[in-house]
Amino acid sequence: MLAMVNQERRRAGVPDLRLDDRLSAAAQRHANDMAVNDLTQHNGTDGSDFSRRISDAGYPGNTARAENVTPGNSVPEAMRMWMNSPGHRTNILSGSYRAIGIGYSPRQRGNWGRYVQTFGS
C-alpha cells in the first residue's frame, strides 16, 4: 500500500511519505476494532477518534493528522475507493503529511476486511 500511496503522490508532485510504526499501530488498532465489530467508521467502539488513537500510540503532540478507513479485500480496491473520494484523496495527496501508518484486518464478521491509513506531519 505504501508503494501505491507514494506512486499517487509522485504523480501529483508531492514528496513520498515514510512509514511510521506509531501511526501503523494506531491504524492497526482501529482496523482490528472495525473488523471484529463489522463497522466502517472513524470512531472506535471505545469512543476513541483517530487523533486519540494516534496519541495513544505515542505519535508527537500537536501535529497535523488525518485518517482514511474503508472496507475491502485488496489493496488496489482500497486505494481505488480512496482515490475516488475527494476527502480521502486529499489526505493521500496532502503536502502537509510526511508520515503514514497502515493497518489491515481481514474479514472477521461481515463480508470485508478493513483498511486504515493514518497520517501525521
Side-chain angles (χ1 to χ4, degrees):
M1 181 174 284
L2 179 62
M4 292 182 82
V5 165
N6 283 333
Q7 180 180 7
E8 294 293 345
R9 289 175 66 86
R10 283 183 213 118
R11 283 186 199 145
V14 181
D16 285 0
L17 294 174
R18 64 176 170 72
L19 191 63
D20 184 279
D21 290 341
R22 297 161 297 184
L23 290 172
S24 290
Q28 190 62 52
R29 171 183 165 187
H30 193 49
N32 292 343
D33 182 34
M34 289 191 301
V36 165
N37 293 291
D38 194 23
L39 300 169
T40 304
Q41 60 188 34
H42 290 285
N43 290 328
T45 58
D46 62 358
S48 65
D49 63 11
F50 68 87
S51 188
R52 180 172 136 206
R53 289 188 294 272
I54 289 170
S55 291
D56 287 352
Y59 199 76
N62 298 319
T63 60
R65 300 169 175 192
E67 177 182 76
N68 287 345
V69 300
T70 192
N73 289 316
S74 72
V75 170
E77 178 182 37
M79 283 298 296
R80 191 169 36 257
M81 291 171 74
W82 283 326
M83 293 306 289
N84 287 326
S85 166
H88 296 107
R89 180 183 181 90
T90 295
N91 289 341
I92 291 169
L93 300 180
S94 174
S96 296
Y97 304 123
R98 300 287 181 246
I100 188 172
I102 298 168
Y104 171 71
S105 187
R107 177 180 64 86
Q108 296 180 31
R109 291 181 52 207
N111 296 320
W112 308 98
R114 298 301 191 276
Y115 288 92
V116 178
Q117 296 173 329
T118 52
F119 301 87
S121 56

